[in-house]
Amino acid sequence: ACEQALRTTGAKLLVISGDVRAVQLLEERLPAWVHGETTIRHITGGRSPDGSQPHRADVVAEVARSVAGAWTAELLARFAEQLAPRGLAVDGELATLEALAEGRVGDLLAAPDPNDTRTAWFGANPRQILPATQNPPESWQRHHRGPLTDLAIRATLLTGAHVHVLDPHTAGAPAEDIGALCRFH
């Protein structure tokens, strides 16, 4: 059931609580792909009335925040490292939209600002995306204009890449609140 839930939801964090032997047995029986793709954390408490139930949601939320913070730190460290010449990171609006249009983005980093008024063009094809300062080519049979960050996220998801939403004030966030780690140059 645990393996199926992870596969169905795509969750990358598994928080386990319960009897020590049951937890050990569960972890031993999880398939290798779960151990390779999932962060597993343990918390105290079980089904018996031990006083942990009222606090369990708070403990799980704290574990999730901690793990998400570590993932974000790792992602931003990779981003900073790949910004070097000949690296696989792109930074800022123009470079990111160009990488999206070329299908190179593996991970989009977006720090949406509710006051952002930037827009971009998009067409029917997920790779049809341009800054609003450029005119869509005639080969785009239909095109529309929309919020830049929303359209970048749309293009990312429709090309099978990953989206990472950051707080706009995150240290090390991309310039212009948008950037990407690319799959290739």
Side-chain angles (χ1 to χ4, degrees):
C2 186
E3 175 187 1
Q4 182 61 36
L6 288 169
R7 190 180 306 279
T8 301
T9 64
K12 299 296 180 194
L13 172 63
L14 173 62
V15 180
I16 303 174
S17 173
D19 174 76
V20 174
R21 288 177 294 269
V23 168
Q24 181 181 8
L25 184 61
L26 171 66
E27 275 202 78
E28 288 173 0
R29 300 246 170 111
L30 290 172
W33 72 265
V34 171
H35 290 282
E37 298 177 17
T38 308
T39 300
I40 300 173
R41 293 289 184 266
H42 301 128
I43 61 172
T44 59
R47 289 187 299 176
S48 62
D50 61 0
S52 66
Q53 288 82 357
H55 306 289
R56 184 162 299 129
D58 293 336
V59 172
V60 170
E62 180 54 38
V63 168
R65 276 191 295 278
S66 173
V67 170
W71 289 343
T72 298
E74 289 174 24
L75 177 70
L76 291 172
R78 270 194 358 237
F79 179 72
E81 179 182 299
Q82 291 298 321
L83 278 174
R86 305 188 59 77
L88 290 173
V90 295
D91 198 11
E93 175 184 341
L94 295 177
T96 304
L97 292 182
E98 180 180 304
L100 284 165
E102 295 170 352
R104 296 186 292 126
V105 170
D107 293 273
L108 177 75
L109 288 75
D113 177 350
N115 300 316
D116 187 1
T117 59
R118 295 176 297 172
T119 60
W121 292 106
F122 72 103
N125 181 312
R127 291 178 45 189
Q128 292 177 332
I129 186 166
L130 283 173
T133 56
Q134 298 177 17
N135 293 322
E138 289 185 24
S139 62
W140 290 18
Q141 294 177 355
R142 293 183 335 204
H143 58 275
H144 304 279
R145 197 171 180 161
L148 181 130
T149 302
D150 293 355
L151 297 181
I153 291 171
R154 172 190 178 271
T156 302
L157 294 173
L158 290 175
T159 57
H162 303 273
V163 174
H164 305 276
V165 178
L166 307 170
D167 183 307
H169 308 291
T170 302
E176 301 175 357
D177 297 328
I178 193 161
L181 287 163
C182 295
R183 301 173 209 186
F184 56 89
H185 289 283

